[in-house]
Amino acid sequence: MTNFQQRSVTGFIFAGTILTCSHYGGIPLLVMLAIVVIMCLYEWTQIIFKLDGREANIPMPFVISFVGLCLFFFYDFYNEQIDDDIIWYLMLGYFGYFLFFMFKIFPLIKNIPFNILLGFVYIITPTAAALKIGTDLMWLLPFLWCSDTGAYFVGKYFGSTPLLPAVSPKKTVEGLLGGFITCLLYAAILMHFKIIELPITGLCLSLAAAGLGTLGDLSESLVKRQAKIKDSSHFLPGHGGFLDRFDSFLFFVPAAYFILKHLH
């Protein structure tokens, strides 16, 4: 099987599983998001140890993943009592952190305890927001896929202006705009079927998917570059690891939650 075929099969199964769990919501969605928390924290722990120039001891990634899972279930159990503003403040915190070191305002912090806490915020905040969004994830997540698809094809055939070459040499400004336009077309389809009622909602979701989704991708790429690795793991054949697949999700979903809450 070629890499393209392997990538296509994995992508089809991956997307189908996510959409199915999102459609049913409840326990299937909770289980899917719990798996995302476990796998992403496992990979994140491996990466932050490499940032510090060493390998993670075998128990450590499992311990961090287990603690993260407990925090996720704690949030699920008490979500009615927890103020939504907490998600907003935590989201702004890790957005700001990644932006600061991406634009070299300050260097990447390589302290392991700090990065463990960052991992909890970076991974559990978006999955908690996804839990609040519920079944609407089924039509929200394709915004990210539209952005990726549009950016890939426009960037491949028309891209000439590098976006952030020091972080991701293949990403272009034209590709970013192509992803945004593709998202707008998808938003227009959703409006036609009355899934989205306000044009401002479609515009903001398109901006979030193209802009924040790309920022999430670039942030993870920069951390991996600092750790001198190509993929976060090899759990998903042809795609790398869970963090490689959910990097855009981790930035887009909290913003999407607040867009839906205030503009839908």
Side-chain angles (χ1 to χ4, degrees):
M1 184 180 290
T2 66
N3 183 64
F4 176 76
Q5 291 172 327
Q6 189 179 56
R7 186 178 177 86
S8 299
V9 170
T10 303
F12 180 78
I13 295 172
F14 182 78
T17 302
I18 290 174
L19 290 176
T20 300
C21 292
S22 300
H23 171 73
Y24 285 104
I27 297 299
L29 180 61
L30 180 66
V31 171
M32 182 197 79
L33 292 172
I35 292 171
V36 171
V37 169
I38 291 170
M39 300 307 297
C40 286
L41 277 173
Y42 178 89
E43 293 173 359
W44 176 255
T45 306
Q46 300 276 16
I47 291 171
I48 62 175
F49 270 84
K50 286 184 169 67
L51 280 174
D52 198 42
R54 49 197 173 120
E55 295 290 329
N57 295 325
I58 291 299
M60 184 58 72
F62 292 102
V63 171
I64 299 304
S65 296
F66 176 74
V67 173
L69 185 63
C70 290
L71 290 172
F72 175 68
F73 281 130
F74 175 85
Y75 179 85
D76 176 48
F77 190 77
Y78 289 103
N79 77 85
E80 295 297 331
Q81 288 79 38
I82 296 176
D83 194 331
D84 284 353
D85 286 344
I86 291 178
I87 292 179
W88 176 250
Y89 294 134
L90 291 175
M91 177 189 78
L92 290 179
Y94 71 82
F95 277 16
Y97 172 76
F98 283 118
L99 275 172
F100 283 168
F101 83 76
M102 185 179 298
F103 291 101
K104 301 181 180 179
I105 297 173
F106 60 68
L108 180 66
I109 298 173
K110 297 182 179 181
N111 179 270
I112 288 176
F114 171 83
N115 282 319
I116 288 173
L117 291 175
L118 174 64
F120 290 147
V121 174
Y122 169 51
I123 291 164
I124 296 174
T125 302
T127 48
L131 204 58
K132 282 183 168 288
I133 291 171
T135 56
D136 282 341
L137 278 176
M138 190 174 68
W139 59 264
L140 268 177
L141 292 181
F143 271 101
L144 288 175
W145 304 335
C146 288
S147 175
D148 285 346
T149 303
Y152 174 77
F153 284 107
V154 173
K156 181 177 180 179
Y157 293 107
F158 305 103
S160 60
T161 310
L163 185 62
L164 277 176
V167 179
S168 185
K170 293 183 178 179
K171 289 194 182 299
T172 63
V173 174
E174 293 82 4
L176 178 64
L177 292 174
F180 173 59
I181 292 169
T182 309
C183 288
L184 285 178
L185 293 174
Y186 174 62
I189 294 171
L190 294 178
M191 286 191 65
H192 175 75
F193 289 103
K194 307 298 182 184
I195 296 172
I196 290 177
E197 295 182 1
L198 301 175
I200 188 66
T201 306
L203 175 63
C204 289
L205 287 172
S206 298
L207 284 169
L212 295 178
T214 301
L215 178 61
D217 189 355
L218 289 170
S219 298
E220 198 233 357
S221 294
L222 186 54
V223 174
K224 289 189 299 183
R225 186 177 289 265
Q226 295 271 343
K228 297 180 173 59
I229 58 173
K230 183 177 183 294
D231 296 319
S232 59
S233 75
H234 300 287
F235 286 122
L236 301 172
H239 288 263
F242 276 74
L243 267 178
D244 296 322
R245 289 302 90 209
F246 282 92
D247 50 10
S248 299
F249 170 97
L250 296 175
F251 274 62
F252 169 68
V253 167
Y257 171 67
F258 284 100
I259 292 169
L260 291 184
K261 182 179 178 181
H262 298 289
L263 296 175
H264 186 52

